[in-house]
Amino acid sequence: MVKIKRKIRKKFSILFLGAILSLSVQTMILYYLNNFYFTNDTQLTFKEVSLKPVVSANVEIKLDPDAKNITLSPSGKYCSYYSEKKINIISLVDGSKNSLNLDKDLENYHFKWHNTEDKLIISEKTIASNKAGIKIYTYNTKNNSKQEALNYNNESEIYKLPASNAVVAGIELNTMNTIMYLKVSTLYGKCYLERLDISGGMHKLHINATRVGNFFVLKQKDELIYENLNDNKIYMTDKSKNRQIEIDGCGKLKLLYVDKSDTAFIGELQNNMITKIYKRSFDETYEENNWNRLSLENPISEDNLHILNSGNVYVIDNLKGTVQNIQDKTKVTFKGDFIAMNDNIILSSYEEKLIATPLK
């Protein structure tokens, strides 16, 4: 009888300890899930790469006389341009050049530098089974390599265009995810906006516009703000709806830019010249009148106004060879003819040479 009682007590002790251990493990798991996994305060953090500017130290870089579509990389370390059926990528540090041979005419391609990396995004029009489509490539300056964009099956895709005569006329990236937006135009003057997910395909956006002007991505919301050239008004997409952007007391408006913090810059037009600039952040609940005004000393053409990803606004004076920040009035002098600028450098040409001038 005593042995039986001891065995019962031993089994009970084992069961009790097992229950305590199981309860402890469950409590720890529930604590983790409640405080870390299922919390309502969970935030997704995206790290934006900050590229350090690297500018040439008096290196003479020859520019081809027939160079077209000259653009700057985000760091200001590279520029690209089209010449003789090639895209040339020039290092503004040492003058070295790499080239991508193009199999088709230039109108079959669209090139755009990534917003935060020294990579080119390339769309190439192709014809397969009598249907027009595009393929997407990336060119990496670090290793001089061109690669096809691959879906989740590690395969490249051809994304169908809405018409055989359609071409890509613009690309905007959402650097918070892998989505890109394309402006697709036809020979008949119509323009459409398409949403491209490398793995999910390309889909036409439902907007009441067949002629689209400037357009930009509101990255936090993954929505677009765009110009409808049919009615000369500005709209933003809002969960498959279209909301008109208006500014009290303003007439004709021009969409100028959206910077990295989702701040939109809109100009008021008079006689095709920008007379006022208004800005506001869209990383918040939209309110019609929440706009800040930036002053311009004189009306200016859109071509001579540059708004950078940092939110700084510059006026270009080609005759004087200067760029001036309208917010703090600082002025930088450059040599030759202005080509492009970003947050790091001013790129100009002088006697068929490229000149990189530090902005700061």
Side-chain angles (χ1 to χ4, degrees):
M1 181 64 69
V2 174
K3 290 182 178 180
I4 293 174
K5 288 182 179 181
R6 286 177 179 174
K7 288 182 179 180
I8 292 174
R9 282 198 298 269
K10 186 176 182 180
K11 288 182 178 180
F12 178 78
S13 298
I14 293 172
L15 289 173
F16 179 75
L17 290 173
I20 292 296
L21 180 61
S22 175
L23 183 61
S24 299
V25 172
Q26 291 179 51
T27 300
M28 292 171 66
I29 292 173
L30 289 174
Y31 177 82
Y32 169 79
L33 293 175
N34 183 65
N35 287 277
F36 297 98
Y37 192 82
F38 292 122
T39 176
N40 292 328
D41 296 326
T42 300
Q43 295 181 348
L44 295 178
T45 301
F46 296 87
K47 182 180 180 180
E48 184 173 287
V49 178
S50 179
L51 296 177
K52 294 182 179 180
V54 183
V55 179
S56 167
N58 299 319
V59 175
E60 290 190 353
I61 302 172
K62 186 177 180 180
L63 178 65
D64 293 339
D66 63 341
K68 299 177 182 177
N69 302 346
I70 305 173
T71 56
L72 271 172
S73 74
S75 70
K77 186 178 179 180
Y78 300 93
C79 77
S80 67
Y81 65 85
Y82 173 79
S83 173
E84 297 181 352
K85 280 202 168 185
K86 294 179 181 179
I87 290 295
N88 300 292
I89 296 91
I90 308 296
S91 168
L92 298 176
V93 178
D94 57 20
S96 60
K97 178 169 75 172
N98 290 307
S99 298
L100 294 175
N101 293 318
L102 303 182
D103 299 325
K104 305 178 180 69
D105 293 332
L106 180 61
E107 58 265 22
N108 293 291
Y109 296 88
H110 189 83
F111 304 86
K112 179 182 175 59
W113 285 103
H114 193 282
N115 296 68
T116 59
E117 300 179 63
D118 282 343
K119 292 181 179 180
L120 271 177
I121 310 300
I122 305 170
S123 74
E124 179 185 61
K125 183 177 178 180
T126 184
I127 303 294
S129 302
N130 295 322
K131 294 182 179 179
I134 59 168
K135 298 191 77 171
I136 300 296
Y137 299 86
T138 59
Y139 171 81
N140 193 334
T141 57
K142 290 182 179 180
N143 52 19
N144 186 33
S145 65
K146 176 186 172 187
Q147 296 180 328
E148 295 184 55
L150 304 178
N151 61 20
Y152 55 79
N153 290 321
N154 209 33
E155 298 172 341
S156 64
E157 290 190 39
I158 296 176
Y159 304 97
K160 184 179 177 181
L161 289 169
S164 60
N165 59 18
V167 294
V168 174
I171 296 176
E172 290 293 330
L173 308 173
N174 189 345
T175 54
M176 305 292 272
N177 55 36
T178 59
I179 304 299
M180 63 181 68
Y181 293 88
L182 284 65
K183 180 166 73 171
V184 176
S185 63
T186 69
L187 293 179
Y188 305 108
K190 293 186 176 181
C191 293
Y192 305 94
L193 292 179
E194 304 270 349
R195 185 179 191 270
L196 174 58
D197 183 335
I198 294 299
S199 292
M202 189 161 72
H203 305 283
K204 182 179 177 182
L205 293 184
H206 298 290
I207 59 174
N208 297 320
T210 56
R211 294 174 59 233
V212 176
N214 291 341
F215 73 104
F216 299 94
V217 181
L218 300 171
K219 299 174 183 62
Q220 293 281 355
K221 299 176 182 292
D222 196 26
E223 301 285 357
L224 291 186
I225 181 168
Y226 65 95
E227 292 177 320
N228 183 343
L229 300 183
N230 295 105
D231 59 12
N232 291 315
K233 295 178 180 178
I234 300 172
Y235 296 85
M236 67 172 290
T237 60
D238 185 6
K239 299 178 181 178
S240 300
K241 298 179 181 179
N242 291 278
R243 184 196 301 272
Q244 184 181 346
I245 304 299
E246 297 180 280
I247 301 175
D248 282 352
C250 293
K252 190 175 181 181
L253 300 176
K254 179 68 180 175
L255 177 59
L256 300 174
Y257 195 69
V258 173
D259 69 15
K260 63 183 179 181
S261 64
D262 285 350
T263 296
F265 295 79
I266 293 178
E268 182 178 10
L269 286 174
Q270 292 182 10
N271 299 320
N272 293 320
M273 300 288 280
I274 297 168
T275 58
K276 302 182 185 72
I277 297 176
Y278 295 86
K279 72 172 187 175
R280 60 144 295 154
S281 173
F282 278 82
D283 187 20
E284 56 190 48
T285 303
Y286 179 73
E287 295 178 7
E288 293 286 348
N289 299 319
N290 192 18
W291 293 90
N292 295 315
R293 176 178 163 179
L294 300 177
S295 297
L296 289 172
E297 293 180 359
N298 299 294
I300 188 169
S301 68
E302 183 184 1
D303 291 339
N304 291 327
L305 188 70
H306 282 256
I307 304 173
L308 305 182
N309 211 25
S310 59
N312 289 314
V313 183
Y314 288 87
V315 172
I316 313 301
D317 190 328
N318 246 316
L319 293 177
K320 296 180 180 179
T322 62
V323 299
Q324 183 173 21
N325 186 317
I326 71 168
Q327 288 108 317
D328 62 17
K329 306 303 180 183
T330 57
K331 188 179 292 186
V332 179
T333 301
F334 63 89
K335 188 176 182 179
D337 297 320
F338 177 88
I339 295 176
M341 68 182 296
N342 61 17
D343 287 306
N344 298 318
I345 71 167
I346 304 163
L347 186 66
S348 60
S349 65
Y350 180 71
E351 296 180 347
E352 296 186 358
K353 294 183 179 68
L354 288 172
I355 299 175
T357 303
L359 186 58
K360 299 176 182 179

